[in-house]
Amino acid sequence: MRPLAVIGNVNVDLILGPTAPWPKAGTEIIVDHDELRVGGQAGNSALAWEALGIDFEIAANVGNDQFGLWLRDAFGDRAAKWPVSAERTTLSVGITHPDGERTFFTTHGHLPRFCLADTLSVLDGKHLSGGYALLCGAFLTTDLAREYDAFFDWAHGHGISVVLDTGWPPDGWTKENCALTRAWLSHCDCALLNEVEATTLAGLDNPDKAAAALWTSMPTGAILVVKCGPDGAIAIGPDGKLVLAAAPAVKVIDTIGAGDVFNAAFLAALAKDQPLAACLAAGVQVASRAISTLPRSYGSLPDFRNDVA
């Protein structure tokens, strides 16, 4: 199996809910569910890999408080080299709604101070050679994002394929954020976007056409994936052909981190050199299980290679 790493945002998630409609100011309501857990795109993908029994490296930072210690403890030896920022740990409070959607309130915290030097102090470039590095949380880890070009050079210099999932910009998909992301895509070997991100970046309403347009801006041989929620996922691989995977019908309990879980399962299958259709199917199946179970369960990594070969 090819080596895997994830680089980016690890923070604390406090999940409360469900509630609807939004409560009136000055009032108090009681909700049925609460959960304090490791969060952030990088954290969610790493937890999924761990649950699936996949070996990986993770580069992140934490804040200088009890939450920072808690996050480091959650990852054990993998977090031994994580730098500690002077800021408090980033906290996201997620309010869930009956339809499975959610609203987040997030502090800046430690994430903006995560930088390239922090990343390279954790990762073993020689060990990761020939593997995949998932770069995520770009618009939250702002110091590192300013150094993405240097990271691309470092990764490709070690023979590491760069995979990008930017996450949602706090200030929205402005023209500047779209232009910046398209510039990053021109250096990435794989991109994992959701439907809104893909159609917005491409300026097209149809996800198939958006995927095709964005894929042409990426390096030769790249893979572009569009995650379409209950409609499954689509991808364009090195041969330029569109591949799709349908999602099973499930009762949604908690969609938080669904895309990150998809990323983990997709890349785990890709690292095992499974066909692109099998990688998509693995991502959709594991993510569907995760969002429909409480406590959250990931199952095992499916192997669809014989079904799609």
Side-chain angles (χ1 to χ4, degrees), residues 8-12 60-65 68 71 82-91 107-115 118 140-141 143:
N9 53 325
V10 176
N11 55 259
V12 176
N61 70 331
V62 293
N64 187 22
D65 54 17
L71 287 174
W82 286 7
V84 178
S85 170
E87 289 77 12
R88 296 177 63 84
T89 298
T90 301
L91 173 66
T107 63
H108 287 291
H110 71 286
L111 292 179
R113 300 288 74 83
F114 184 50
C115 65
D118 295 338
L140 298 175
T141 55
D143 283 0

Side-chain angles (χ1 to χ4, degrees), residues 196-287:
V196 175
E197 292 164 351
T199 54
T200 301
L201 286 169
L204 299 167
D205 293 334
N206 183 285
D208 294 9
K209 293 180 179 179
L214 293 172
W215 180 79
T216 61
S217 69
M218 298 177 68
T220 301
I223 297 171
L224 187 133
V225 175
V226 180
K227 296 167 282 187
C228 301
D231 294 325
I234 61 175
I236 298 180
D239 60 3
K241 295 181 179 179
L242 186 71
V243 179
L244 57 88
V250 297
K251 183 179 180 181
V252 175
I253 296 176
D254 177 5
T255 62
I256 294 172
D260 308 321
V261 175
F262 174 97
N263 293 351
F266 174 88
L267 289 174
L270 191 65
K272 291 187 174 184
D273 294 324
Q274 293 195 24
L276 182 57
C279 298
L280 276 186
V284 167
Q285 178 166 310
V286 174

Side-chain angles (χ1 to χ4, degrees), residues 6-287:
V6 60
I7 303 101
N9 53 325
V10 176
N11 55 259
V12 176
D13 276 359
L14 175 58
I15 312 301
L16 299 170
T19 181
W22 198 251
K24 183 179 179 181
T27 64
E28 180 179 6
I29 63 170
I30 302 298
V31 295
D32 295 329
H33 173 69
D34 70 273
E35 186 176 0
L36 184 70
R37 66 191 189 195
V38 174
Q41 285 184 271
N44 291 332
S45 293
L47 290 180
W49 277 337
E50 194 168 76
L52 293 169
I54 304 298
D55 190 29
F56 64 93
E57 294 183 26
I58 176 169
N61 70 331
V62 293
N64 187 22
D65 54 17
Q66 288 298 315
F67 275 145
L69 293 174
W70 181 72
L71 287 174
R72 286 169 65 101
D73 287 345
F75 288 96
D77 292 342
R78 289 190 174 96
K81 295 182 180 179
W82 286 7
V84 178
S85 170
E87 289 77 12
R88 296 177 63 84
T89 298
T90 301
L91 173 66
S92 282
V93 177
I95 308 299
T96 62
H97 306 295
D99 61 358
E101 289 302 320
R102 70 280 191 202
T103 304
F104 277 109
F105 298 85
T106 303
T107 63
H108 287 291
H110 71 286
L111 292 179
R113 300 288 74 83
F114 184 50
C115 65
L116 181 63
D118 295 338
T119 301
L120 301 187
S121 71
V122 175
L123 299 182
D124 183 341
K126 184 177 181 180
H127 174 260
L128 292 172
S129 181
Y132 297 93
L134 172 58
L135 193 59
C136 51
F139 295 104
L140 298 175
T141 55
T142 49
D143 283 0
L144 177 59
R146 295 188 189 99
E147 301 176 288
Y148 268 8
D149 285 346
F151 176 81
F152 297 144
D153 290 341
W154 175 86
H156 292 143
H158 284 85
I160 303 167
S161 297
V162 178
V163 184
L164 180 67
D165 184 344
T166 64
W168 193 268
D171 56 342
W173 284 106
T174 63
K175 290 182 179 179
E176 293 77 11
N177 288 336
C178 287
L180 190 58
T181 300
R182 286 192 289 266
W184 292 335
L185 288 176
S186 69
H187 297 282
C188 292
D189 305 284
C190 179
L192 303 168
L193 308 174
N194 66 34
E195 185 174 350
V196 175
E197 292 164 351
T199 54
T200 301
L201 286 169
L204 299 167
D205 293 334
N206 183 285
D208 294 9
K209 293 180 179 179
L214 293 172
W215 180 79
T216 61
S217 69
M218 298 177 68
T220 301
I223 297 171
L224 187 133
V225 175
V226 180
K227 296 167 282 187
C228 301
D231 294 325
I234 61 175
I236 298 180
D239 60 3
K241 295 181 179 179
L242 186 71
V243 179
L244 57 88
V250 297
K251 183 179 180 181
V252 175
I253 296 176
D254 177 5
T255 62
I256 294 172
D260 308 321
V261 175
F262 174 97
N263 293 351
F266 174 88
L267 289 174
L270 191 65
K272 291 187 174 184
D273 294 324
Q274 293 195 24
L276 182 57
C279 298
L280 276 186
V284 167
Q285 178 166 310
V286 174

